Amino acid sequence: MGAGIYIHIPFCLQKCNYCDFFSQPVDKEVLRREYTRALLQEIVFYGEKYGKEFKANTIFFGGGTPSLMEPELLERVLEELRKRFSISKMAEITAECNPATLSPEKLKEYKRIGINRLSIGAQSFDNEILKTLGRVHNAEDITETFKMARDAGFDNINLDLMFAVPGQGVRQWNNTLKKALELKPEHLSFYSLEICENTLFGILLEEGSLKETSEKTDRKMYANAINAMKKAGYEHYEISNAALPGKECRHNLKYWHFDQYLGLGASAHSFINGVRFSNVRDTEQYIMAMHNQDISRAWTLGSSDVFAADCVDSYHINTYRDNLGEYVFTALRTKEGVVLSDFEEKLKNEFWDVYGKERNEFEQFVRQGFAVSDKKHIALTRSGIDISNKIMSIFV
Amino acid sequence: MSNKEYQQYIRNFSIIAHIDHGKSTLADRIIEKTGLVDQRDMKEQFLDNMELERERGITIKLQTTRLLYHSRDGHDYTFNLIDTPGHVDFNYEVSRSLAACEGAVLVVDATQGVEAQTLANVYLALDEDLEILPVLNKIDLASARPDETKEEIEEVIGLDASEAPLVSAKEGIGIEDLLEEVVKKIPAPTGDPDGKLKALIFDSKYDNYKGVIIYTRIFDGRVSKGDIIRLMNTGKKYEVTEVGVCAPGPVPADVLKAGEVGYICGSIKQVSDARVGDTITLDSAPTEEMLPGYKKAQSMVYCGIYPAEGEKYENVKDALEKLQVNDAAFNFEPETSTALGFGFRCGFLGLLHMEIIVERLEREFNLGVITTSPSVIYRVVKSDGTVEMIQNPTNLPPQQEISYIEEPMVKADIMIPKDYVGSIMELCQERRGKMIHMEYITETRVQLHYEMPLNEVIYDFFDALKSKTRGYGSLDYEFIRYERSNVVKMDILLNKDLVDAFSMIVHESKAYARGRFVCEKLKEIIPMHQFEVPIQAAIGQKVIARETVKAYRKDVIAKCYGGDISRKKKLLEKQKEGKKRMRQFGTVEVPQEAFTAVLKYDENK
């Protein structure tokens, strides 16, 4: 089983009103170069640490807006990755991109350097909603970008969509769904807008000048999305993801399958050898840490899995209990749920031996139709997804 | 030195103040100045030694400490500083600790002037014939108005404040002047060290090694290790195993003599055996007269305390026993509830006392508990003429067996600035109070005398009084008699099931409002379930209020981005933790805070 590699590109043209991810509006090329150099240094470090033993079959450029990066910069990163690790020839290599940040030339270059999957942050096909969200693009840009990508030969494209946006009606959402499906992407992600503190939306909500979508409307939109996608032949394989058969996002599946992944770049998260760790959420600090690299120091810190002490934001050695909880709640996000044999293989215990005490509570949900349980797996039903936290929390 | 000369160099005093006028800070400074505690070791508010007290900024359990002061007159003085608790529930304890003193330092905030509790405390001190030494605090603040405050002290309290020291406890200004005033103005103790032993218990606490430690003021005679003492009100005898002084930790001494303050140990098992206010004498040569003012501790308020997790029953029992050992006013016995299982019915002085015990269970013993609605003791006269005393609503006999019910009445003395008379009279009336008398103490201060059902006082009357008078109101109350009353039992049903732990006895005229309030409150607190949960308040079969918790639709995390699952995991863990604090009643899960939340009556609702 191969690992995944995630590379965070923290740059955006501007911050969206809802965005809680680590990003900063920057358009200086020099910073992008410096950042790339830092990424290369980080790769060298982990390369020396894990070497060719580290086998990866997915690479994911996430952001921020990776499509703001000059293709040659991404190429350098990919070259370094291939040089230092064992990257499968068949690897899924995804770049997130925003409409109106791409040109046919750039797409051609992306294709050339090996990127074979695009994830387009469409969010909505309604210009009013896009404006509310604070996106820089409009609906026409999405279609145009999508067509451009097809023309450049991309045959694996995801569209990110967002619902339960303040002011969004069910009909508006249905229309976005329709427009998205008309483009026939291989993959669709659909997220219920989560309003986080410290975002513009969070502040407006606090002030009372923003009205959250009701839960009823939210669930109606979610149900409509699933129905529409199923009808169009997509498989709803994870809470917020649907894909044409065989086109599931292999990288994201690693998160749900308790697989290893290495996160590179500012704020990136890793899960390797039972340790969860992440880098600082600050571009300058990340670059500084990489430039002042003192690999020998990092090594003398002993078993340190991380690059340099001042680059680390969090570092947690999972306990067995952590592993259990994480395995289960991530697996329950997927359609097949917890596959008992896989659980046993990875966690060395039989599922119901570990969760004997919780079984009764879980079975209540099964009786009420929120979950299913048989000899091979346990999983959430469609109605169980709506209250998934409640069910997952049994197992953490 | 004559046999009484040592008394010249002793000063026994308390510090009294309105809340927030800086009493504890001043005590800290005095302790610092007299060099008792290294500044390094000095925690803020030295005398408030329970974590809880420091946090709430109120003194619950009093503490006494001995200080040595080298005066400008060249002599060394022993100061016994006796701290006093500051809440109406503990007024009796305050009066006893004042009774151990010759004087009191009255702290008045120079920015605020005289306030209600200042007065209430002054009256307590005057009752004990104490010399009162006014001090103006917070003079470092720009808003301080010392001259006006002095005038106010003279006008309102009638004390000469012309020489009142100006201090800032926070900045350490004027502390020495104050200490000199203590030497000059507060009388030295008197009493015959060779007379028959007469000593006042003004506090006691339990110590794991020494048993009960009695804090005492010797008025006459002397006591040493080996003496057989008798506690005059309980009649119990003990052999003294140790005497000493409080510094503030115990420091053994050979003897305690008339005028001194210190501690006595004598293998006493429970603090209730050494009740505050009792008189200690020698068994071999007892004094003829007891010190005045002894009162038996009487629980006024009862409630059920249940372990949040059933299997912790024994732990809760152990903890309650430990608390009882240290708190003469607290008692408990086992009881059961169909909703909550095995638990305890506990008696308290008042609602604050109850809150403190519950918080101590949670903090000091790390036990989660559920408390049921507090209740007073009702006197139920049955049709067959027999009488039952009921302190648990669940035990109320069926309606048809009851002839009538009587409830305890108290005499409530309320002191307020005159501007608030209207709103407080309204409050009292709403609480079924009957005004007996009203008097102007000064031009601006009024005392209201009411008779009121205790039931109406215990919920949150004190809080309401405080908030309606912006903290200026003060309250004192005492039980007077039982009176016939039209009270009924109100039940709460969740999803049609009666939850006995929510049952309460209320006056008929209040039942609708209270029922509505409880239902609304529960609606806020009970989380959404996968089904609708009706909440009903009922008297007998009659539903008087109803709310519904809607079924929920959504409890899902949309995304886990970039492999950062830690936040989502925390959320799930929190949810699981929250579930542990839930109590399952039939099919309905109720968070534990529901039991306390329904007690807080919000006037504005």
Side-chain angles (χ1 to χ4, degrees):
Chain A
M1 180 63 72
I5 295 173
Y6 175 82
I7 298 137
H8 192 74
I9 305 297
F11 309 119
C12 277
L13 288 177
Q14 66 176 50
K15 189 95 185 162
C16 295
N17 297 338
Y18 57 88
C19 179
D20 187 37
F21 298 138
F22 175 63
S23 70
Q24 57 190 97
V26 144
D27 57 354
K28 281 203 201 100
E29 197 202 336
V30 58
L31 190 61
R32 293 195 288 272
R33 290 196 178 278
E34 284 296 299
Y35 188 76
T36 306
R37 199 151 78 89
L39 281 174
L40 296 177
Q41 277 160 322
E42 197 179 14
I43 294 166
V44 170
F45 170 77
Y46 286 110
E48 287 188 14
K49 186 166 173 56
Y50 301 123
K52 290 281 180 186
E53 292 301 298
F54 190 85
K55 296 188 175 68
N57 56 14
T58 68
I59 296 171
F60 195 102
F61 290 97
T65 311
S67 50
L68 290 178
M69 295 290 272
E70 288 74 2
E72 68 262 31
L73 296 181
L74 298 185
E75 183 178 21
R76 296 272 311 277
V77 171
L78 286 171
E79 272 172 5
E80 201 64 39
L81 286 172
R82 291 193 181 101
K83 200 161 118 195
R84 304 283 167 177
F85 304 114
S86 303
I87 309 289
S88 159
K89 293 250 178 323
M90 307 289 291
E92 170 195 281
I93 303 176
T94 308
E96 284 189 323
C97 54
N98 281 332
T101 58
L102 290 170
S103 62
E105 293 72 32
K106 206 167 182 180
L107 281 162
K108 232 167 91 187
E109 281 296 289
Y110 279 176
K111 186 81 190 161
R112 182 185 64 76
I113 64 175
I115 291 170
N116 51 30
R117 185 173 180 273
L118 290 181
S119 176
I120 301 174
Q123 313 309 354
S124 176
F125 283 85
D126 189 303
N127 286 336
E128 276 304 302
I129 298 297
L130 287 169
K131 217 166 121 194
T132 306
L133 290 172
R135 302 290 294 190
V136 287
H137 67 269
N138 60 36
E140 292 71 46
D141 292 331
I142 305 171
T143 316
E144 202 179 316
T145 299
F146 191 89
K147 291 197 168 134
M148 244 191 263
R150 283 285 192 240
D151 290 345
F154 283 94
D155 57 2
N156 196 357
I157 301 178
N158 167 58
L159 290 181
D160 267 348
L161 302 175
M162 195 167 263
F163 63 95
V165 179
Q168 187 182 34
V170 174
R171 258 208 245 153
Q172 270 173 305
W173 169 240
N174 289 347
N175 189 46
T176 281
L177 283 170
K178 190 169 146 252
K179 292 257 177 69
L181 288 166
E182 277 170 10
L183 291 177
K184 299 195 165 55
E186 284 66 33
H187 192 284
L188 283 157
S189 293
F190 42 109
Y191 298 117
S192 170
L193 174 75
E194 188 186 338
I195 298 180
C196 301
E197 278 176 51
N198 306 323
T199 63
L200 181 65
F201 275 4
I203 293 160
L204 294 176
L205 187 70
E206 185 81 8
E207 282 176 6
S209 50
L210 192 73
K211 200 167 168 288
E212 264 187 300
T213 306
S214 74
E215 286 193 354
K216 191 178 165 189
T217 306
D218 178 297
R219 287 299 94 185
K220 174 91 180 133
M221 289 176 170
Y222 183 68
N224 287 1
I226 290 168
N227 293 339
M229 289 172 197
K230 277 190 176 162
K231 219 171 175 181
Y234 290 79
E235 192 180 358
H236 178 212
Y237 73 100
E238 195 267 349
I239 289 180
S240 304
N241 289 289
L244 292 174
K247 296 292 184 182
E248 294 84 5
C249 174
R250 277 151 56 197
H251 182 80
N252 279 339
L253 277 175
K254 296 201 186 296
Y255 301 143
W256 321 130
H257 285 167
F258 208 63
D259 291 334
Q260 310 215 44
Y261 47 91
L262 176 62
L264 304 167
S267 86
H269 287 250
S270 303
F271 180 46
I272 292 179
N273 296 337
V275 183
R276 292 202 183 271
F277 55 94
S278 65
N279 286 340
V280 286
R281 279 172 70 97
D282 184 300
T283 311
E284 277 76 20
Q285 206 183 327
Y286 169 76
I287 293 174
M288 287 286 266
M290 293 304 141
H291 285 202
N292 300 337
Q293 64 169 297
D294 181 351
I295 293 178
S296 59
R297 181 167 141 246
W299 282 112
T300 50
L301 282 173
S303 62
S304 175
D305 281 296
V306 276
F307 187 55
D310 44 356
C311 181
V312 186
D313 188 56
S314 66
Y315 185 89
H316 176 80
I317 302 171
N318 267 16
T319 62
Y320 184 67
R321 194 79 224 167
D322 288 332
N323 286 341
L324 291 175
E326 288 172 6
Y327 180 101
V328 180
F329 95 74
T330 53
L332 283 177
R333 296 187 61 92
T334 62
K335 188 183 156 128
E336 74 268 29
V338 176
V339 177
L340 301 184
S341 58
D342 183 67
F343 178 93
E344 206 179 319
E345 188 186 314
K346 286 189 172 135
L347 292 155
K348 313 295 173 214
N349 267 302
E350 278 195 37
F351 186 81
W352 289 119
D353 285 351
V354 176
Y355 286 112
K357 259 175 89 178
E358 286 78 10
R359 187 163 194 167
N360 221 339
E361 202 182 337
F362 178 72
E363 293 292 343
Q364 275 188 20
F365 288 99
V366 174
R367 277 194 293 280
Q368 293 172 55
F370 294 109
V372 290
S373 171
D374 60 31
K375 281 190 185 128
K376 290 200 171 131
H377 75 302
I378 66 164
L380 304 182
T381 61
R382 167 66 196 82
S383 61
I385 287 174
D386 291 343
I387 58 161
S388 54
N389 288 350
K390 211 175 161 77
I391 303 174
M392 288 168 180
S393 70
I394 298 173
F395 300 102
V396 296
Chain B
M1 197 193 275
S2 90
N3 70 343
K4 292 179 74 169
E5 209 185 306
Y6 68 94
Q7 290 176 344
Q8 284 177 35
Y9 303 110
I10 297 177
R11 297 292 182 272
N12 299 319
F13 65 98
S14 284
I15 304 176
I16 55 178
H18 185 79
I19 197 155
D20 288 341
H21 277 200
K23 184 177 87 165
S24 298
T25 316
L26 182 61
D28 285 351
R29 279 310 146 263
I30 292 177
I31 290 167
E32 217 177 86
K33 270 279 184 275
T34 51
L36 176 83
V37 192
D38 232 315
Q39 203 144 2
R40 239 176 349 170
D41 299 341
M42 185 96 189
K43 277 190 219 156
E44 287 280 290
Q45 308 191 348
F46 189 76
L47 293 180
D48 292 354
N49 66 347
M50 277 200 281
E51 187 190 345
L52 198 60
E53 293 184 351
R54 255 199 293 276
E55 211 166 275
R56 292 193 168 204
I58 54 166
T59 310
I60 299 156
K61 198 84 182 124
L62 43 103
Q63 266 234 317
T64 180
T65 187
R66 193 177 74 141
L67 310 162
L68 293 175
Y69 178 62
H70 185 76
S71 167
R72 286 174 196 155
D73 68 12
H75 292 287
D76 286 325
Y77 287 84
T78 298
F79 285 177
N80 288 304
L81 172 56
I82 295 167
D83 204 11
T84 56
H87 188 273
V88 61
D89 280 1
F90 305 100
N91 255 1
Y92 176 66
E93 278 71 11
V94 177
S95 80
R96 290 310 83 199
S97 42
L98 290 175
C101 305
E102 275 75 37
V105 170
L106 171 68
V107 183
V108 182
D109 183 333
T111 68
Q112 309 270 332
V114 174
E115 292 185 16
Q117 263 185 326
T118 318
L119 269 184
N121 283 316
V122 165
Y123 289 126
L124 282 176
L126 288 176
D127 282 345
E128 303 301 329
D129 284 331
L130 301 194
E131 180 67 32
I132 297 173
L133 181 63
V135 175
L136 306 192
N137 192 19
K138 307 196 186 176
I139 52 134
D140 58 308
L141 298 182
S143 51
R145 37 182 189 94
D147 292 334
E148 279 173 55
T149 308
K150 279 184 182 178
E151 262 175 49
E152 239 179 76
I153 293 175
E154 295 184 355
E155 208 175 286
V156 179
I157 311 179
L159 287 173
D160 176 11
S162 56
E163 292 177 37
L166 305 181
V167 309
S168 161
K170 199 167 139 243
E171 299 298 327
I173 302 167
I175 306 300
E176 286 208 31
D177 293 337
L178 165 62
L179 296 174
E180 285 299 317
E181 284 290 296
V182 168
V183 169
K184 266 190 254 162
K185 296 263 170 70
I186 293 182
T190 54
D192 181 2
D194 299 319
K196 290 175 173 169
L197 176 63
K198 195 199 284 181
L200 171 74
I201 302 179
F202 65 83
D203 189 17
S204 59
K205 75 167 192 200
Y206 185 79
D207 178 278
N208 281 334
Y209 303 104
K210 299 181 201 279
V212 172
I213 300 177
I214 292 173
Y215 293 94
T216 186
R217 158 70 195 274
I218 315 288
F219 283 92
D220 282 314
R222 59 182 68 209
V223 61
S224 339
K225 187 177 167 180
D227 289 343
I228 306 290
I229 52 165
R230 191 203 296 173
L231 307 184
M232 296 181 77
N233 280 291
T234 61
K236 292 193 174 158
K237 294 172 199 172
Y238 303 94
E239 183 181 335
V240 175
T241 55
E242 187 178 320
V243 300
V245 294
C246 321
V251 177
D254 294 334
V255 63
L256 288 178
K257 289 185 292 189
E260 293 185 318
V261 170
Y263 69 91
I264 301 176
C265 303
S267 312
I268 305 168
K269 299 261 159 27
Q270 291 225 343
V271 287
S272 52
D273 294 331
R275 169 73 178 138
V276 168
D278 206 344
T279 308
I280 307 171
T281 192
L282 279 187
D283 190 50
S284 54
T287 177
E288 288 78 35
E289 56 184 59
M290 281 191 257
L291 292 161
Y294 178 77
K295 259 199 221 169
K296 244 181 109 172
Q298 200 184 6
S299 298
M300 304 277 264
V301 178
Y302 283 82
C303 82
I305 291 187
Y306 289 82
E309 297 151 73
E311 64 263 35
K312 292 279 172 71
Y313 177 83
E314 285 297 327
N315 306 47
V316 171
K317 188 171 168 223
D318 286 349
L320 290 175
E321 275 166 3
K322 288 206 179 95
L323 289 173
Q324 188 179 31
V325 145
N326 224 340
D327 186 342
F330 167 65
N331 62 68
F332 70 96
E333 57 184 42
E335 75 166 2
T336 56
S337 147
T338 43
L340 297 171
F342 291 98
F344 304 91
R345 180 115 300 235
C346 304
F348 307 93
L349 289 173
L351 215 54
L352 179 78
H353 187 205
M354 169 177 135
E355 278 176 30
I356 288 162
I357 294 276
V358 170
E359 272 198 60
R360 290 185 66 185
L361 280 174
E362 294 191 338
R363 281 193 208 196
E364 291 169 31
F365 298 93
N366 203 13
L367 290 166
V369 294
I370 297 174
T371 53
T372 63
S373 308
S375 172
V376 299
I377 307 174
Y378 292 93
R379 192 170 177 273
V380 179
V381 180
K382 293 167 75 173
S383 329
D384 61 6
T386 56
V387 173
E388 269 187 55
M389 301 303 280
I390 299 290
Q391 22 97 332
N392 182 349
T394 316
N395 296 342
L396 198 70
Q399 200 60 44
Q400 60 273 20
E401 289 176 27
I402 298 174
S403 172
Y404 61 89
I405 303 178
E406 292 181 339
E407 66 176 333
M409 300 294 291
V410 294
K411 174 172 156 297
D413 299 328
I414 300 159
M415 200 180 301
I416 44 169
K418 74 171 194 306
D419 297 350
Y420 301 111
V421 166
S423 65
I424 296 308
M425 281 171 60
E426 211 175 290
L427 173 70
C428 292
Q429 195 172 358
E430 189 205 312
R431 299 297 175 101
R432 297 190 283 137
K434 270 184 297 204
M435 192 164 82
I436 304 303
H437 178 55
M438 165 173 147
E439 60 191 319
Y440 272 81
I441 292 174
T442 68
E443 253 175 55
T444 54
R445 307 221 166 235
V446 176
Q447 185 150 32
L448 302 173
H449 302 276
Y450 269 86
E451 281 186 15
M452 220 184 272
L454 177 59
N455 174 318
E456 299 288 344
V457 179
I458 60 165
Y459 277 108
D460 61 347
F461 182 76
F462 191 59
D463 291 343
L465 174 70
K466 285 277 170 199
S467 76
K468 281 186 189 293
T469 60
R470 293 205 218 129
Y472 288 98
S474 72
L475 164 75
D476 190 20
Y477 61 85
E478 62 182 335
F479 172 75
I480 42 175
R481 64 174 172 275
Y482 271 93
E483 214 171 73
R484 196 165 160 162
S485 172
N486 221 348
V487 293
V488 291
K489 179 169 159 242
M490 183 176 82
D491 295 317
I492 299 295
L493 295 90
L494 296 181
N495 207 11
K496 315 270 186 206
D497 292 329
L498 192 151
V499 180
D500 63 355
F502 282 122
S503 294
M504 58 181 86
I505 294 175
V506 288
H507 193 259
E508 207 178 19
S509 67
K510 298 290 199 63
Y512 282 84
R514 185 110 204 127
R516 218 165 27 241
F517 169 77
V518 172
C519 289
E520 279 168 14
K521 208 74 196 178
L522 287 176
K523 184 186 176 181
E524 277 170 32
I525 288 172
I526 293 176
M528 287 195 266
H529 286 60
Q530 296 96 283
F531 46 85
E532 271 195 0
V533 179
I535 303 167
Q536 295 164 304
I539 297 171
Q541 299 301 313
K542 191 175 158 206
V543 173
I544 57 169
R546 183 192 156 112
E547 291 284 343
T548 306
V549 179
K550 290 212 181 70
Y552 64 47
R553 299 168 188 279
K554 183 194 168 196
D555 184 12
V556 55
I557 297 164
K559 54 185 185 275
C560 286
Y561 184 82
D564 176 12
I565 67 163
S566 52
R567 249 179 20 187
K568 321 298 175 190
K569 190 175 165 209
K570 271 196 201 109
L571 194 130
L572 293 174
E573 280 167 347
K574 218 171 123 195
Q575 197 157 350
K576 185 175 179 119
E577 204 44 49
K579 209 176 149 67
K580 276 197 197 149
R581 291 195 63 86
M582 297 276 196
R583 224 32 209 222
Q584 187 95 24
F585 295 120
T587 48
V588 183
E589 282 176 350
V590 182
Q592 293 180 16
E593 64 261 30
F595 292 89
T596 34
V598 298
L599 308 181
K600 305 248 184 244
Y601 190 52
D602 184 353
E603 297 288 327
N604 304 322
K605 278 266 172 178

